[in-house]
Amino acid sequence: LLAQRRKLMGKPDAGLDKERRAFIKKVLSGAVGGSLLLVIPMPIGAATPEIKEQIPGIRGKKWDMAHKRFAFIVDITLCIGCGSCCVADRLEYNVPAGYYRTWVERYLKDFNDNVYVDSPNGGFDGYQTPRADIDVEVRDTFFVPKLCNMCKEPPCVQVCPVGATFKTPDGFILVDAARCVGCAYCIQACPYSSRYLDPFTRTAEKCTWCYHRVRKGLLPICVNVCPTKARKFGDLNDKNSEVYKLLHEHEVLTVLKKDMGTYPALYYKGLRREVV
């Protein structure tokens, strides 16, 4: 997998490789502390000339989606916890076992209003059986898919010390693996726990809303396979799109952790107050 990714991304130039080694050496020697307070924020959308040249497929091209404003809507009233989205995502990106770009949480509520949350194997295997460790009568059960929120004000971009995490002109938050040094600052900064450190490449990974598919006019893979159409994706600048109609008509939609001030582009329909 590592060799394949290196082949796809190309070999970093000597200057960038030297810079990465120098940064890691400082971290290991204690010259750079493990505190987010020591990180100088990178301007959103900032990109060095070297990166633009290194990955022409991501940066350095004319954007044909610059006038689009994408949004993702998850309808938890339709989610059945089947895990199809997780399976498709793992196959699409060869996600290592035990790591998740998207996952599904199960919420149980008893008659005393106690809430129990679990997500065995990230929901990859679905929820075929009830929880055996809870000896109470369950009043209600529902499922909540989680993924990257594609924030308008992404803290992960602000804390990255080398500009590896960046925001595209069309609003997608991506990770430049060739520049990432694996410091994990972005993982600590994400309020939605949607990032992880790849055990093979030692670089940050996350859901991208299938950016490579969207740029070709395709839907994200999880949206494509959802049997109940609980996941919806589209352009808010298109008045004929389903997401536009849901957000501008009489549907009640909300976002996670609104008080964080990140302004997510991921909305939920039917979100319950029990959801964390």
Side-chain angles (χ1 to χ4, degrees), residues 116-171:
Y116 308 87
V117 186
D118 69 337
S119 184
N121 200 19
F124 180 85
D125 303 312
Y127 295 90
Q128 305 297 324
T129 58
R131 286 183 62 168
D133 61 325
I134 299 178
D135 188 22
V136 295
E137 188 175 358
V138 176
R139 184 178 72 179
D140 194 12
T141 303
F142 59 94
F143 304 97
V144 182
K146 298 287 187 70
L147 60 157
C148 179
N149 283 245
M150 293 296 172
C151 306
K152 183 179 179 181
E153 299 292 339
C156 56
V157 173
Q158 294 293 338
V159 302
C160 182
V162 293
T165 291
F166 65 100
K167 185 177 181 180
T168 69
D170 38 29

Side-chain angles (χ1 to χ4, degrees), residues 206-228:
K206 60 178 283 294
C207 164
T208 61
W209 287 10
C210 288
Y211 187 65
H212 66 293
R213 292 174 56 88
V214 174
R215 291 202 64 177
K216 296 177 182 178
L218 302 174
L219 289 172
I221 191 66
C222 62
V223 176
N224 224 24
V225 302
C226 182
T228 61

Side-chain angles (χ1 to χ4, degrees), residues 17-87:
D17 188 57
K18 183 178 180 180
E19 179 184 350
R20 292 178 65 180
R21 290 177 181 274
F23 179 82
I24 294 174
K25 185 176 181 181
K26 289 180 180 179
V27 172
L28 294 177
S29 65
V32 178
S35 171
L36 296 178
L37 297 176
L38 297 179
V39 181
I40 300 175
M42 292 290 291
I44 292 180
T48 62
E50 312 92 78
I51 295 301
K52 290 181 179 178
E53 294 172 1
Q54 277 187 354
I55 309 182
I58 295 181
R59 300 183 180 181
K61 292 184 70 173
K62 292 184 178 180
W63 298 93
D64 55 358
M65 302 196 305
H67 299 293
K68 295 183 181 295
R69 186 162 63 98
F70 291 100
F72 206 118
I73 297 177
V74 174
D75 187 345
I76 69 170
T77 67
L78 295 178
C79 181
I80 58 176
C82 66
S84 297
C85 50
C86 304
V87 173

